[in-house]
PDB file of all heavy atoms in Angstrom:
ATOM      1  N   GLY A 122      25.378   4.997 -27.333  1.00 83.00           N
ATOM      2  CA  GLY A 122      26.716   4.425 -27.213  1.00 83.00           C
ATOM      3  C   GLY A 122      26.901   3.239 -28.137  1.00 83.00           C
ATOM      4  O   GLY A 122      27.947   3.106 -28.795  1.00 83.00           O
ATOM      5  N   LYS A 123      25.897   2.359 -28.213  1.00 83.00           N
ATOM      6  CA  LYS A 123      26.003   1.200 -29.097  1.00 83.00           C
ATOM      7  C   LYS A 123      26.036   1.630 -30.564  1.00 83.00           C
ATOM      8  O   LYS A 123      26.801   1.080 -31.368  1.00 83.00           O
ATOM      9  CB  LYS A 123      24.829   0.261 -28.846  1.00 83.00           C
ATOM     10  CG  LYS A 123      24.859  -0.404 -27.472  1.00 83.00           C
ATOM     11  CD  LYS A 123      23.678  -1.343 -27.303  1.00 83.00           C
ATOM     12  CE  LYS A 123      23.726  -2.012 -25.932  1.00 83.00           C
ATOM     13  NZ  LYS A 123      22.573  -2.939 -25.734  1.00 83.00           N
ATOM     14  N   LEU A 124      25.179   2.608 -30.909  1.00 84.00           N
ATOM     15  CA  LEU A 124      25.147   3.088 -32.286  1.00 84.00           C
ATOM     16  C   LEU A 124      26.469   3.756 -32.661  1.00 84.00           C
ATOM     17  O   LEU A 124      27.016   3.515 -33.757  1.00 84.00           O
ATOM     18  CB  LEU A 124      23.982   4.059 -32.470  1.00 84.00           C
ATOM     19  CG  LEU A 124      23.829   4.680 -33.869  1.00 84.00           C
ATOM     20  CD1 LEU A 124      23.615   3.610 -34.921  1.00 84.00           C
ATOM     21  CD2 LEU A 124      22.677   5.685 -33.873  1.00 84.00           C
ATOM     22  N   LEU A 125      26.980   4.573 -31.749  1.00 86.00           N
ATOM     23  CA  LEU A 125      28.240   5.256 -32.041  1.00 86.00           C
ATOM     24  C   LEU A 125      29.401   4.272 -32.135  1.00 86.00           C
ATOM     25  O   LEU A 125      30.356   4.487 -32.908  1.00 86.00           O
ATOM     26  CB  LEU A 125      28.521   6.300 -30.964  1.00 86.00           C
ATOM     27  CG  LEU A 125      27.546   7.489 -30.933  1.00 86.00           C
ATOM     28  CD1 LEU A 125      27.845   8.379 -29.732  1.00 86.00           C
ATOM     29  CD2 LEU A 125      27.625   8.292 -32.228  1.00 86.00           C
ATOM     30  N   GLU A 126      29.334   3.211 -31.367  1.00 88.00           N
ATOM     31  CA  GLU A 126      30.381   2.190 -31.457  1.00 88.00           C
ATOM     32  C   GLU A 126      30.419   1.568 -32.850  1.00 88.00           C
ATOM     33  O   GLU A 126      31.496   1.360 -33.423  1.00 88.00           O
ATOM     34  CB  GLU A 126      30.145   1.119 -30.394  1.00 88.00           C
ATOM     35  CG  GLU A 126      31.186   0.015 -30.404  1.00 88.00           C
ATOM     36  CD  GLU A 126      30.884  -1.069 -29.388  1.00 88.00           C
ATOM     37  OE1 GLU A 126      29.872  -0.945 -28.667  1.00 88.00           O
ATOM     38  OE2 GLU A 126      31.656  -2.043 -29.321  1.00 88.00           O
ATOM     39  N   LYS A 127      29.244   1.294 -33.394  1.00 89.00           N
ATOM     40  CA  LYS A 127      29.184   0.724 -34.744  1.00 89.00           C
ATOM     41  C   LYS A 127      29.593   1.738 -35.806  1.00 89.00           C
ATOM     42  O   LYS A 127      30.277   1.393 -36.781  1.00 89.00           O
ATOM     43  CB  LYS A 127      27.779   0.199 -35.017  1.00 89.00           C
ATOM     44  CG  LYS A 127      27.393  -0.979 -34.147  1.00 89.00           C
ATOM     45  CD  LYS A 127      25.993  -1.469 -34.467  1.00 89.00           C
ATOM     46  CE  LYS A 127      25.631  -2.665 -33.606  1.00 89.00           C
ATOM     47  NZ  LYS A 127      24.251  -3.155 -33.886  1.00 89.00           N
ATOM     48  N   LEU A 128      29.185   2.997 -35.613  1.00 90.00           N
ATOM     49  CA  LEU A 128      29.565   4.034 -36.581  1.00 90.00           C
ATOM     50  C   LEU A 128      31.062   4.305 -36.549  1.00 90.00           C
ATOM     51  O   LEU A 128      31.653   4.716 -37.567  1.00 90.00           O
ATOM     52  CB  LEU A 128      28.790   5.318 -36.297  1.00 90.00           C
ATOM     53  CG  LEU A 128      27.285   5.266 -36.581  1.00 90.00           C
ATOM     54  CD1 LEU A 128      26.631   6.584 -36.170  1.00 90.00           C
ATOM     55  CD2 LEU A 128      27.007   4.968 -38.047  1.00 90.00           C
ATOM     56  N   SER A 129      31.662   4.092 -35.386  1.00 92.00           N
ATOM     57  CA  SER A 129      33.116   4.296 -35.317  1.00 92.00           C
ATOM     58  C   SER A 129      33.854   3.302 -36.213  1.00 92.00           C
ATOM     59  O   SER A 129      34.937   3.604 -36.739  1.00 92.00           O
ATOM     60  CB  SER A 129      33.587   4.166 -33.870  1.00 92.00           C
ATOM     61  OG  SER A 129      33.403   2.838 -33.392  1.00 92.00           O
ATOM     62  N   GLU A 130      33.270   2.111 -36.395  1.00 91.00           N
ATOM     63  CA  GLU A 130      33.881   1.140 -37.299  1.00 91.00           C
ATOM     64  C   GLU A 130      33.849   1.650 -38.745  1.00 91.00           C
ATOM     65  O   GLU A 130      34.819   1.437 -39.505  1.00 91.00           O
ATOM     66  CB  GLU A 130      33.146  -0.206 -37.185  1.00 91.00           C
ATOM     67  CG  GLU A 130      33.224  -0.826 -35.798  1.00 91.00           C
ATOM     68  CD  GLU A 130      32.419  -2.109 -35.699  1.00 91.00           C
ATOM     69  OE1 GLU A 130      31.814  -2.497 -36.731  1.00 91.00           O
ATOM     70  OE2 GLU A 130      32.390  -2.721 -34.617  1.00 91.00           O
ATOM     71  N   VAL A 131      32.766   2.309 -39.112  1.00 91.00           N
ATOM     72  CA  VAL A 131      32.685   2.896 -40.447  1.00 91.00           C
ATOM     73  C   VAL A 131      33.744   3.978 -40.617  1.00 91.00           C
ATOM     74  O   VAL A 131      34.432   4.076 -41.662  1.00 91.00           O
ATOM     75  CB  VAL A 131      31.276   3.465 -40.698  1.00 91.00           C
ATOM     76  CG1 VAL A 131      31.194   4.133 -42.070  1.00 91.00           C
ATOM     77  CG2 VAL A 131      30.235   2.361 -40.588  1.00 91.00           C
ATOM     78  N   GLN A 132      33.902   4.788 -39.607  1.00 91.00           N
ATOM     79  CA  GLN A 132      34.923   5.830 -39.660  1.00 91.00           C
ATOM     80  C   GLN A 132      36.321   5.222 -39.788  1.00 91.00           C
ATOM     81  O   GLN A 132      37.164   5.738 -40.545  1.00 91.00           O
ATOM     82  CB  GLN A 132      34.840   6.704 -38.412  1.00 91.00           C
ATOM     83  CG  GLN A 132      35.797   7.877 -38.425  1.00 91.00           C
ATOM     84  CD  GLN A 132      35.645   8.750 -37.202  1.00 91.00           C
ATOM     85  OE1 GLN A 132      34.915   8.388 -36.270  1.00 91.00           O
ATOM     86  NE2 GLN A 132      36.310   9.889 -37.193  1.00 91.00           N
ATOM     87  N   ASP A 133      36.567   4.132 -39.065  1.00 92.00           N
ATOM     88  CA  ASP A 133      37.869   3.462 -39.167  1.00 92.00           C
ATOM     89  C   ASP A 133      38.107   2.969 -40.595  1.00 92.00           C
ATOM     90  O   ASP A 133      39.228   3.070 -41.122  1.00 92.00           O
ATOM     91  CB  ASP A 133      37.942   2.291 -38.185  1.00 92.00           C
ATOM     92  CG  ASP A 133      37.945   2.751 -36.741  1.00 92.00           C
ATOM     93  OD1 ASP A 133      38.282   3.930 -36.493  1.00 92.00           O
ATOM     94  OD2 ASP A 133      37.600   1.938 -35.853  1.00 92.00           O
ATOM     95  N   ASN A 134      37.056   2.436 -41.229  1.00 89.00           N
ATOM     96  CA  ASN A 134      37.200   1.947 -42.605  1.00 89.00           C
ATOM     97  C   ASN A 134      37.479   3.092 -43.574  1.00 89.00           C
ATOM     98  O   ASN A 134      38.279   2.946 -44.516  1.00 89.00           O
ATOM     99  CB  ASN A 134      35.950   1.179 -43.034  1.00 89.00           C
ATOM    100  CG  ASN A 134      35.804  -0.140 -42.296  1.00 89.00           C
ATOM    101  OD1 ASN A 134      36.806  -0.736 -41.861  1.00 89.00           O
ATOM    102  ND2 ASN A 134      34.566  -0.613 -42.155  1.00 89.00           N
ATOM    103  N   PHE A 135      36.833   4.223 -43.354  1.00 88.00           N
ATOM    104  CA  PHE A 135      37.111   5.380 -44.200  1.00 88.00           C
ATOM    105  C   PHE A 135      38.568   5.834 -44.037  1.00 88.00           C
ATOM    106  O   PHE A 135      39.255   6.168 -45.018  1.00 88.00           O
ATOM    107  CB  PHE A 135      36.167   6.529 -43.873  1.00 88.00           C
ATOM    108  CG  PHE A 135      34.851   6.470 -44.596  1.00 88.00           C
ATOM    109  CD1 PHE A 135      33.663   6.389 -43.906  1.00 88.00           C
ATOM    110  CD2 PHE A 135      34.817   6.519 -45.993  1.00 88.00           C
ATOM    111  CE1 PHE A 135      32.454   6.345 -44.573  1.00 88.00           C
ATOM    112  CE2 PHE A 135      33.605   6.476 -46.668  1.00 88.00           C
ATOM    113  CZ  PHE A 135      32.414   6.386 -45.959  1.00 88.00           C
ATOM    114  N   GLU A 136      39.045   5.872 -42.828  1.00 87.00           N
ATOM    115  CA  GLU A 136      40.420   6.307 -42.590  1.00 87.00           C
ATOM    116  C   GLU A 136      41.417   5.351 -43.230  1.00 87.00           C
ATOM    117  O   GLU A 136      42.449   5.779 -43.787  1.00 87.00           O
ATOM    118  CB  GLU A 136      40.673   6.422 -41.085  1.00 87.00           C
ATOM    119  CG  GLU A 136      39.921   7.577 -40.431  1.00 87.00           C
ATOM    120  CD  GLU A 136      40.129   7.640 -38.946  1.00 87.00           C
ATOM    121  OE1 GLU A 136      40.758   6.700 -38.389  1.00 87.00           O
ATOM    122  OE2 GLU A 136      39.660   8.612 -38.305  1.00 87.00           O
ATOM    123  N   ARG A 137      41.131   4.050 -43.150  1.00 85.00           N
ATOM    124  CA  ARG A 137      42.034   3.092 -43.778  1.00 85.00           C
ATOM    125  C   ARG A 137      42.004   3.240 -45.301  1.00 85.00           C
ATOM    126  O   ARG A 137      43.030   3.085 -45.980  1.00 85.00           O
ATOM    127  CB  ARG A 137      41.644   1.667 -43.371  1.00 85.00           C
ATOM    128  CG  ARG A 137      42.166   1.269 -42.006  1.00 85.00           C
ATOM    129  CD  ARG A 137      42.006  -0.234 -41.776  1.00 85.00           C
ATOM    130  NE  ARG A 137      40.608  -0.614 -41.679  1.00 85.00           N
ATOM    131  CZ  ARG A 137      39.931  -0.683 -40.525  1.00 85.00           C
ATOM    132  NH1 ARG A 137      40.534  -0.361 -39.372  1.00 85.00           N
ATOM    133  NH2 ARG A 137      38.675  -1.056 -40.514  1.00 85.00           N
TER     134      ARG A 137
END
Side-chain angles (χ1 to χ4, degrees):
K123 293 181 179 180
L124 179 60
L125 293 174
E126 180 183 359
K127 294 181 179 179
L128 291 176
S129 66
E130 298 177 0
V131 178
Q132 184 178 8
D133 293 339
N134 291 333
F135 274 120
E136 291 177 353
R137 279 192 293 268

